């Protein structure tokens, strides 16, 4: 069985121990053993990045662009291989894994272009004979802490802009999914980027993450993960005057109005709530349905859910793979019991499944007759669990949709231009979908939310420069 090490200053470094990377579809399938780094690895990686920063940040933009384009091309050429690795490691279906790998490649190619589109302003001063230049410069060494649910796309959308704008990187992937991060690091290591510009340190978040956040040589932290960890990072960064970018939880609403196309509303609700095993921060776990269509919607959802095939992520015909880990499965099943005790009706699913291989399988769960104040409608479950809330009209639907501490994504199913337009303006979410699933976004536009879901500048697209650069204003006497 192969061992996989950390990448520091262009070389592979072993830690004191290794952790098995296990397939959640088949617990007997071990992908490899990945090293567990410690604070000394962080120290070495930050030192390497610091040393590499002067040349990388001021070097030619064509070389940067070429390197990012090369990375993107290799990811795209290997997307089936990488998608299969992703499916084995995280539990997404192979088709979803291939799609995610392709998205990662496209992100790198997009930012290869952004290297050549760096811009600023030259404007006159209010004082005669003085010129002003406004430019953007890289931050320095940035720490990237990435989650387990998108193990190649989210690292890509942090790494690519960080490199494009001239920063150096120390990245810590989620301990649950080191395989995709290691594969991405290996590709980057052969791209022509100088040693030390990109460094990978795998290991426990409580050890590696804290070391990154508290290291004086790290100038900024970009984090995607849980709300609790994100808030802790925000406090730590504030006390150390580090720039911080957080993408955290969601409790996303999908509104279905009486005038909606029923088949369309059901399909987008199933896609939003259950695909990728519901393990997307943009998943819709609150289905807010007006009373005129409510009975038909419940019946149609149950009929559609009966056709969902849960199985091995690599098997042909699988719609939904396993939950990513035993602890996540246990959390999902505990919320099923919480919903029952709160008085909601388990209309479909919610059972632990025994299949041909031992894995973390459960049937997607749908609660009906739930109310907005229940825990299942307030707390992020992060699994294939959705609840339906009955409301009287659009106005109550909008109020219920906004009644959450989160604000990442929100959707509405309606044929009314009036209501669609009003919802886009008044939904308290960073991203709004009309007659589309709440999960599923493009790579060239900004990603992020409001309230407790996000903090700091947006990710992706041209808006990524807001985090990964600092603005400088220079005055010159003519």
């Amino acid at each position: 069985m192969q061992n996989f090490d950390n990448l520091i200053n262009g070389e592979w470094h072993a830690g004191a121990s290794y952790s098995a990377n296990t397939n959640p579809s088949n617990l007997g399938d071990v992908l490899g053993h990945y090293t567990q780094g410690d604070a000394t690895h962080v120290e070495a990686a930050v030192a390497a990045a610091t040393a590499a920063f002067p040349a990388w940040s001021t070097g030619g933009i064509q070389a940067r662009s070429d390197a990012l384009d090369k990375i993107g091309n290799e990811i795209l050429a290997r997307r089936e291989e990488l998608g299969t690795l992703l499916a084995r490691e995280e539990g997404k279906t192979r088709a979803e894994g291939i799609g995610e790998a392709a998205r990662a490649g496209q992100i790198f190619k997009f930012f290869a272009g952004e290297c050549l589109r760096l811009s600023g302003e030259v404007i006159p001063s209010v004082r005669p004979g003085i010129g002003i230049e406004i430019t953007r410069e890289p931050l320095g060494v940035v720490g990237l802490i990435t989650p387990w649910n998108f193990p190649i796309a989210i690292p890509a959308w942090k790494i690519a802009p960080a490199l494009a704008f001239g920063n150096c990187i120390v990245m810590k992937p989620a301990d649950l999914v080191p395989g995709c991060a290691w594969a991405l690091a290996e590709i980057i290591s052969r791209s022509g980027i100088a040693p030390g510009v990109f460094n990978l340190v795998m290991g426990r978040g409580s050890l590696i993450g804290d070391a990154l956040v508290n290291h004086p040589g790290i100038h900024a932290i970009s984090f995607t993960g849980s709300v609790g960890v994100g808030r802790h990072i925000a406090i730590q960064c504030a006390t150390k005057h580090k720039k911080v970018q957080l993408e955290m939880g969601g409790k996303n609403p999908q509104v279905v109005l009486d005038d909606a196309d029923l088949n369309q509303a059901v399909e987008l609700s199933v896609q939003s709530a259950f695909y990728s095993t519901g393990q997307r921060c943009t998943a819709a776990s609150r289905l807010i349905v007006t009373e005129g269509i409510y009975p038909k919607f419940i019946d149609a959802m149950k009929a559609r859910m009966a056709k969902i095939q849960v199985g091995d992520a690599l098997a042909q015909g699988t719609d939904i793979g396993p939950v990513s880990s035993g602890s996540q499965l246990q959390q999902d099943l505990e919320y099923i019991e919480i919903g029952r005790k709160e008085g909601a009706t388990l209309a479909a699913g919610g059972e632990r499944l025994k299949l041909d291989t031992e894995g973390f399988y459960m049937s997607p769960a749908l609660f009906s007759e739930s109310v907005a104040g229940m825990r299942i409608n307030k707390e992020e479950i992060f699994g294939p669990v959705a609840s339906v809330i009955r409301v009287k009209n659009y106005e109550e639907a909008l109020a219920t949709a906004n009644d959450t501490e989160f604000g990442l994504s929100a959707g509405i199913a309606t044929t009314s231009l009036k209501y669609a337009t009003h919802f886009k303006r008044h939904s308290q979410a960073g991203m709004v979908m009309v007659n589309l699933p709440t999960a599923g976004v493009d790579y060239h536009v900004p990603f992020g939310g409001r309230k407790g879901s996000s903090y700091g500048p947006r990710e992706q697209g041209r808006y990524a420069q807001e985090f990964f650069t600092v603005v400088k204003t220079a005055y010159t006497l003519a």
Side-chain angles (χ1 to χ4, degrees):
M1 186 65 65
Q2 185 176 354
N3 290 338
F4 297 87
D5 296 330
N6 289 325
L7 179 65
I8 300 172
N9 202 26
E11 297 179 348
W12 300 101
H13 293 259
S17 64
Y18 289 84
S19 178
N21 188 5
T22 304
N23 182 349
S25 292
N26 180 358
L27 302 187
D29 176 26
V30 178
L31 286 72
H33 294 90
Y34 291 77
T35 200
Q36 295 287 292
D38 57 29
T40 63
H41 292 88
V42 173
E43 190 68 41
V46 174
T50 301
F53 178 71
W56 177 251
S57 61
T58 59
I61 58 174
Q62 186 63 59
R64 264 190 238 168
S65 178
D66 290 346
L68 292 181
D69 194 55
K70 183 176 181 181
I71 295 166
N73 285 337
E74 181 168 347
I75 293 171
L76 289 173
R78 295 172 56 191
R79 60 186 177 272
E80 293 194 5
E81 170 200 344
L82 294 170
T84 300
L85 170 65
L86 195 160
R88 286 179 67 200
E89 176 173 64
E90 192 268 346
K92 279 189 179 75
T93 65
R94 183 170 181 269
E96 287 180 310
I98 293 170
E100 182 177 330
R103 180 177 176 182
Q106 291 160 344
I107 289 167
F108 274 97
K109 291 180 72 66
F110 174 84
F111 282 103
E114 288 298 278
C115 292
L116 308 178
R117 291 189 286 265
L118 296 172
S119 61
E121 296 179 78
V122 176
I123 61 175
S125 170
V126 295
R127 294 170 290 172
I130 294 176
I132 301 174
E133 296 171 82
I134 303 170
T135 56
R136 288 187 175 272
E137 296 183 355
L139 298 173
V141 180
V142 297
L144 308 180
I145 303 174
T146 60
W148 54 259
N149 62 326
F150 282 87
I152 193 166
I154 291 180
W157 84 46
K158 293 180 187 292
I159 295 167
L163 294 177
F165 299 126
N167 300 281
C168 292
I169 295 168
V170 181
M171 178 181 134
K172 185 228 135 9
D175 198 36
L176 186 64
V177 289
C180 286
W182 189 94
L184 184 54
E186 196 276 332
I187 292 171
I188 293 171
S189 74
R190 294 182 287 97
S191 66
I193 289 175
V197 171
F198 173 85
N199 304 273
L200 172 73
V201 181
M202 300 177 288
R204 301 297 300 173
S206 57
L207 183 61
I208 307 302
D210 278 357
L212 280 175
V213 170
N214 290 298
H215 197 292
I218 295 288
H219 301 97
I221 293 287
S222 178
F223 167 84
T224 300
S226 69
V227 174
V229 175
R231 287 174 177 167
H232 172 74
I233 289 173
I235 293 170
Q236 294 294 100
C237 287
T239 62
K240 296 171 176 60
H241 304 286
K242 294 180 190 285
K243 198 171 184 180
V244 64
Q245 177 184 62
L246 306 176
E247 289 296 338
M248 298 175 288
K251 194 65 182 174
N252 307 298
Q254 173 61 60
V255 172
V256 179
L257 299 185
D258 286 350
D259 64 9
D261 180 303
L262 179 61
N263 291 333
Q264 182 184 63
V266 166
E267 190 60 33
L268 64 86
S269 296
V270 167
Q271 290 280 344
S272 296
F274 303 130
Y275 275 63
S276 295
T277 324
Q279 296 173 153
R280 298 181 284 196
C281 53
T282 52
S285 55
R286 294 184 297 142
L287 308 178
I288 301 166
V289 184
T290 48
E291 57 188 5
I293 200 173
Y294 182 92
K296 293 180 181 178
F297 179 80
I298 295 294
D299 290 342
M301 281 290 292
K302 290 165 64 176
R304 176 64 179 86
M305 290 172 65
K307 299 176 183 178
I308 295 174
Q309 183 65 44
V310 179
D312 190 311
L314 297 178
Q316 190 171 9
T318 295
D319 296 314
I320 298 174
V323 174
S324 62
S325 68
S327 60
Q328 186 63 50
L329 175 62
Q330 183 61 35
Q331 177 174 297
D332 294 345
L333 294 174
E334 287 174 358
Y335 271 105
I336 299 296
E337 289 306 308
I338 289 169
R340 283 172 165 158
K341 290 177 180 178
E342 288 182 313
T345 299
L346 186 60
E351 299 173 337
R352 174 76 189 267
L353 300 177
K354 300 292 185 182
L355 303 182
D356 292 339
T357 56
E358 184 182 0
F360 303 124
Y361 299 105
M362 71 171 285
S363 58
L366 181 72
F367 281 103
S368 61
E369 305 305 329
S370 76
V371 296
M374 291 179 174
R375 285 182 62 190
I376 57 172
N377 288 320
K378 290 292 186 182
E379 300 171 11
E380 186 176 37
I381 300 172
F382 217 68
V385 182
S387 52
V388 187
I389 304 170
R390 188 200 309 252
V391 294
K392 293 180 180 180
N393 51 34
Y394 168 75
E395 289 73 23
E396 186 181 353
L398 175 64
T400 303
N402 288 335
D403 183 21
T404 173
E405 66 178 289
F406 300 109
L408 182 56
S409 185
I412 187 169
T414 180
T415 56
S416 167
L417 178 61
K418 171 187 172 181
Y419 289 136
T421 302
H422 190 273
F423 190 79
K424 285 189 289 185
R425 173 62 184 86
H426 294 278
S427 173
Q428 295 170 3
M431 298 176 290
V432 180
M433 314 295 183
V434 177
N435 294 324
L436 289 166
T438 57
V441 295
D442 292 345
Y443 62 84
H444 67 303
V445 297
F447 177 96
R450 298 168 60 172
K451 298 191 280 189
S453 289
S454 303
Y455 182 83
R458 290 288 190 257
E459 297 195 281
Q460 296 203 100
R462 303 203 72 182
Y463 284 76
Q465 70 176 341
E466 297 296 331
F467 179 72
F468 287 107
T469 63
V470 61
V471 173
K472 175 180 283 185
T473 305
Y475 293 85
T476 302
L477 178 64

